[in-house]
């Protein structure tokens, strides 16, 4: 009976890569890894650390993610896809360029707060500025997201709603404000990320010079 | 002759920690380490890598810096001291709050460009957001620098030159713009950091809403 023989062989090898019994294993592993990479950096946390945080063996983690980089890659694709979906929905529901910009900044802050660890990993998971850990697919998703902001700014410039010299510079400035939040915003603090975003929105729209 | 005996003992041990023959050894080591930490992160570069980049033995690096963290610490103190000196000189030479803010942003950008590797190390040398690699002295120097900006903004608010709801938020926004530059500014590019800073200054002062 070849079938049974095959099962026996498989069974003998099973302990090495047997799926652990946990609900939603991929999401559970990604969540634990995000917290560890956010705190200690991608280089500062091992697959062993991830397994220990989840409460399974390293072999169990291997079963789902053959390498630590595979965890990072899936975490980033998932984050970037969900970010675009969440933020573009809010932007598209707003009518005027100022309201669309406000929606962008609000939704981005809300998404940051709701996905804080993975967000920190995306923007601050690696020490140093060598970029070779990003895949083409991830870079394309990042570019699509930045284009969402540039398009709404360009629309506002075209309609006269915004006075903008250079759309790319304005978009970069707004993303800098939002991105640097990973370095100081604490989800356990008393102020919500959305409230900080609204303060930044008011600053970006009004400017420091008093309006007569 | 005890003196000679002592010299002989020292001579026998010398190869382990003998100072290498290079000009300005501390500055040379700091410079090489800054480039390595900036590219690969503090965790991603070893003392061996630093020694190889300088062209000396690991023991020679040890002679000046017993640990990799000692290199980081001296690099940061040196950077923060020189940043404050350079930027505060420019700020204090300007008369009005807008001119002082422009001087701050210009001087900060110029300093970033002239000390790019060490700046990247300071703001992006470690992956993750655990902060335990900063010493009290370094944090105090960072706070002194941030106070320079907050003071000039508060002066501008008091005089009516700036319309600012919350000085701390405005200062944080401006530092976010400047700090995120370490993630995209390339010294080998065709635009100088000072020019980007002036574009940001115009944006921060004028705001996106057209002025009638």
């Amino acid at each position: 009976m070849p079938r049974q023989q095959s099962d026996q062989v498989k069974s003998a090898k099973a302990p090495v890569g047997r799926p652990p019994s946990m609900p939603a294993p991929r999401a559970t592993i990604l969540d634990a890894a995000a917290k560890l990479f956010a705190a200690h950096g991608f280089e500062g946390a091992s697959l062993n650390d991830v397994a220990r945080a989840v409460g399974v063996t390293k072999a169990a983690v291997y079963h789902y993610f053959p390498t630590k980089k595979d965890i990072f890659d899936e975490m980033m694709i998932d984050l970037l896809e969900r970010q675009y979906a969440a933020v573009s929905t809010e932007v598209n529901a707003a009518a005027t360029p100022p309201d669309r910009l406000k929606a962008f900044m609000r939704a981005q802050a809300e998404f940051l707060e709701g996905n804080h660890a993975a967000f920190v990993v995306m923007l601050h998971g690696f020490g140093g500025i060598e970029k070779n850990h990003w895949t083409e697919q991830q870079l394309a998703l990042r570019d699509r997201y930045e284009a969402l902001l540039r398009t709404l700014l360009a629309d506002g410039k075209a309609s006269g709603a915004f006075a903008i010299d250079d759309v790319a510079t304005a978009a970069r400035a707004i993303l800098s404000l939002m991105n640097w939040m990973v370095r100081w915003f604490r989800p356990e603090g008393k102020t919500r990320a959305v409230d900080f975003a609204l303060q930044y929105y008011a600053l970006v729209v009004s400017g420091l010079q008093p309006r007569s």
Side-chain angles (χ1 to χ4, degrees), chain A residues 113-184:
Chain A
E113 180 153 359
N115 301 270
H116 187 250
F119 225 90
V120 169
V121 175
M122 177 166 72
L123 295 176
H124 203 58
F126 288 83
I129 52 173
E130 296 249 307
K131 287 286 195 305
N132 51 10
H133 34 266
W134 293 98
T135 66
E136 290 295 316
Q137 184 190 5
Q138 290 160 359
L139 292 173
L141 289 171
R142 182 203 60 182
D143 290 348
R144 178 180 66 160
Y145 186 66
E146 294 187 10
L148 176 68
L149 176 59
R150 272 199 290 270
T151 299
L152 80 83
L153 291 174
D155 289 349
K157 178 177 178 168
S159 75
F162 290 144
I164 298 179
D165 275 339
D166 182 54
V167 164
T169 299
R172 181 179 268 161
I174 290 161
L175 287 173
S176 299
L177 295 177
M178 305 308 293
N179 288 345
W180 195 255
M181 283 182 76
V182 300
R183 295 295 298 273
W184 58 265

Side-chain angles (χ1 to χ4, degrees), chain A residues 23-139:
Chain A
R26 297 187 81 84
T28 304
I29 292 167
L30 287 177
D31 192 51
K35 290 188 177 76
L36 287 167
F37 297 166
H40 310 293
F42 179 82
E43 309 288 1
S46 67
L47 270 187
N48 257 329
D49 297 330
V50 174
R52 203 174 304 119
V54 175
V56 298
T57 62
K58 191 172 165 183
V61 174
Y62 272 138
H63 178 83
Y64 295 101
F65 299 98
T67 71
K68 194 166 70 160
K69 182 62 164 51
D70 292 322
I71 298 180
F72 174 82
D73 284 339
E74 184 162 321
M75 192 188 299
M76 293 303 102
I77 296 292
D78 171 64
L79 189 76
L80 287 161
E81 292 278 14
R82 289 188 299 108
Q83 174 179 242
Y84 185 82
V87 177
S88 65
T89 299
E90 294 299 317
V91 167
N92 292 333
T96 67
D99 281 350
R100 286 163 79 88
L101 176 59
K102 190 193 277 186
F104 180 95
M105 293 175 76
R106 280 180 66 107
Q108 151 93 51
E110 202 151 37
F111 189 79
L112 160 73
E113 180 153 359
N115 301 270
H116 187 250
F119 225 90
V120 169
V121 175
M122 177 166 72
L123 295 176
H124 203 58
F126 288 83
I129 52 173
E130 296 249 307
K131 287 286 195 305
N132 51 10
H133 34 266
W134 293 98
T135 66
E136 290 295 316
Q137 184 190 5
Q138 290 160 359
L139 292 173

Side-chain angles (χ1 to χ4, degrees), chain A residues 179-200:
Chain A
N179 288 345
W180 195 255
M181 283 182 76
V182 300
R183 295 295 298 273
W184 58 265
F185 174 72
R186 295 289 170 266
E188 66 275 18
K190 67 185 204 310
T191 306
R192 304 282 50 81
V194 160
D195 298 316
F196 288 120
L198 290 176
Q199 291 177 39
Y200 279 168

